[in-house]
Amino acid sequence: MNLIRKNGELTLHGQSMVTLKNKYKTPLIVYDEAMIRNQCRRFHQSLKQSGLIYNISYASKAFTSIQLFKLMQEEQMGLDVVSIGELYTAIQSGFDPNHIHFHGNNKTIEEIEYAIESGVEYFVIDSLHEIENIQRIAQQKNKTINAVLRVNPGVEAHTHEFIQTGQEDSKFGLSIKNGQAIEAVHQIQQSNHLNWYGVHFHIGSQIFDSTGTIETIYIVFDWLQKNNIQIQVLNIGGGFSIRYTDEDVAYPIEDGIQKITEAIKDAAQQHHYPIPEIALEPGRSIVGEAGMTLYDVGTIKSIPNVNNYVSIDGGMSDHIRTALYQAKYEIELVERDDAKDMKCTVAGKLCESGDIIQRNIMLPSTIKSGDTLLVKSTGAYHYSMSSNYNQMLKPAVVFVNQDTDRLVIKRQTLSHLIANDVL
Ligand code: LLP
């Protein structure tokens, strides 16, 4: 993180956060562009070192925007999209469809048609029902579609249960254990309009180390070999953790990728199986720590012997993760580096008691209305999960570089809020 204090005030790449706030208004999401690029390069470098053939796709659900997608192309990243909306945004950004793959546990007919017409590299198939649908639509369009199957390996990642995906009781993937995965492979292989391409798994998100991934790799190779299935691509998903607070460990990318790629080599050797192309789908680890949110402080309410509520000019409309996952964040007062001597709760301005950014956090008692708060590590799953609840406006997003800042998403205006209303 290139965030440092100069004369007490927070700056990013030397640029004053107060100046940014005055220029773009709050709430404002600010990204350190160099850090996003650096995260992409760390994954590339680590995979290059393994000597394996690989592909990295950014999981666009973490933060979707035209300018980010352009940046991803510059950094030789592919894209993982999960809806017609994400795919549309990617196409509008000029992204090469041949480096996009299409996910989702319930792809609609409209989505399948659009993705086929767009020419995505492959579909990640998630159900037997979907095989039928894609096969039928591909036949109508006289196309052959590359099919990767999302398998459920039955491995539980140690993370919040809402972002776990690999356990047996999951809406994602087809189970290796109960035989549905192999049934799906056979159906795909028998189809005239599907090209059997590979296997995908994703065991969860915000995973701190490679243990679960490695366990899954051995399960998958064992299954492939026992069933005599050949694949071109093995996609191991995303889920690499970031640091929100001291309770977290940022995924050790270099070390973790080395361990994972060694495990792939070892599993392939043990099973006398050729090593396929390896695909990764990191989302949070690419953009999460690079992003931060600036808010203006408004009302400060002290309830004697109970709590101090510091309210800001955004809330769960742009920051839902605390309400949804009891997520924790670090928060800094931008203007001054005063001692953090006051326990308080930073609250949003929406009409819900659960609209909290952080409970029981220490901030300077000198904090006053008009000051600016900076919430760290809000680059992933904040803007992309934002809403217009309470008719709140979605914030602007800015990329900051060494000596420039550039607007990548404009703040919504009031007219956006009624744009679809029938007047
Ligand atoms: N690939 C697949 C198939 C996924 O389902 C996901 C995330 C990723 C890749 C990227 O995972 P990442 O590297 O970003 O952890 N809203 C939640 C996270 C949901 C993740 C959903 N899938 C949050 O704010 O923590």
Side-chain angles (χ1 to χ4, degrees), residues 46-59:
S46 307
L47 281 152
K48 259 186 207 130
Q49 290 215 322
S50 73
L52 301 181
I53 299 172
Y54 75 90
N55 173 279
I56 316 169
S57 293
Y58 165 66

Side-chain angles (χ1 to χ4, degrees), residues 49-251:
Q49 290 215 322
S50 73
L52 301 181
I53 299 172
Y54 75 90
N55 173 279
I56 316 169
S57 293
Y58 165 66
S60 46
K61 72 203 84 177
F63 170 52
T64 298
S65 91
I66 299 250
Q67 289 302 322
L68 181 75
F69 289 172
K70 287 181 192 282
L71 187 155
M72 287 299 143
Q73 283 222 101
E74 285 169 17
E75 295 297 330
Q76 276 89 49
M77 304 283 278
L79 273 193
D80 143 10
V81 299
V82 298
S83 69
I84 194 169
E86 286 183 358
L87 180 53
Y88 170 80
T89 310
I91 301 290
Q92 294 304 306
S93 78
F95 215 94
D96 179 355
N98 200 29
H99 292 129
I100 301 177
H101 60 268
F102 196 59
H103 262 288
N105 66 304
N106 185 24
K107 302 175 186 75
T108 65
I109 301 300
E110 185 193 12
E111 287 179 319
I112 295 171
E113 287 178 342
Y114 183 71
I116 291 180
E117 275 154 25
S118 305
V120 296
E121 184 193 2
Y122 57 84
F123 277 73
V124 181
I125 292 187
D126 204 285
S127 66
L128 298 173
H129 177 75
E130 188 187 333
I131 298 176
E132 264 178 56
N133 281 343
I134 300 182
Q135 148 78 25
R136 191 182 63 253
I137 297 167
Q139 191 169 8
Q140 284 160 9
K141 295 187 184 296
N142 202 19
K143 294 253 168 74
T144 304
I145 305 304
N146 290 331
V148 166
L149 182 71
R150 177 160 182 178
V151 298
N152 181 344
V155 173
E156 300 196 6
H158 301 284
T159 185
H160 194 290
E161 72 168 300
F162 293 170
I163 47 180
Q164 263 186 6
T165 50
Q167 72 279 17
E168 199 61 20
D169 181 356
S170 168
K171 73 168 183 164
F172 295 112
L174 285 161
S175 166
I176 286 186
K177 285 187 186 155
N178 73 11
Q180 287 186 323
I182 190 66
E183 163 70 20
V185 176
H186 291 150
Q187 286 192 18
I188 293 169
Q189 285 175 334
Q190 280 156 20
S191 158
N192 294 331
H193 290 272
L194 294 176
N195 174 38
W196 170 244
Y197 206 56
V199 167
H200 173 283
F201 67 81
H202 171 82
I203 57 170
S205 225
Q206 185 64 356
I207 297 171
F208 295 140
D209 70 20
S210 52
T211 320
T213 312
I214 290 175
E215 192 187 324
T216 309
I217 286 167
Y218 283 95
I219 292 173
V220 168
F221 272 93
D222 192 51
W223 174 73
L224 290 170
Q225 190 229 6
K226 282 199 178 121
N227 292 286
N228 196 19
I229 311 164
Q230 304 303 313
I231 55 170
Q232 283 187 49
V233 174
L234 173 64
N235 189 324
I236 66 167
F240 311 97
S241 61
I242 64 165
R243 184 191 175 284
Y244 289 97
T245 68
D246 280 342
E247 289 177 13
D248 311 307
V249 185
Y251 196 89

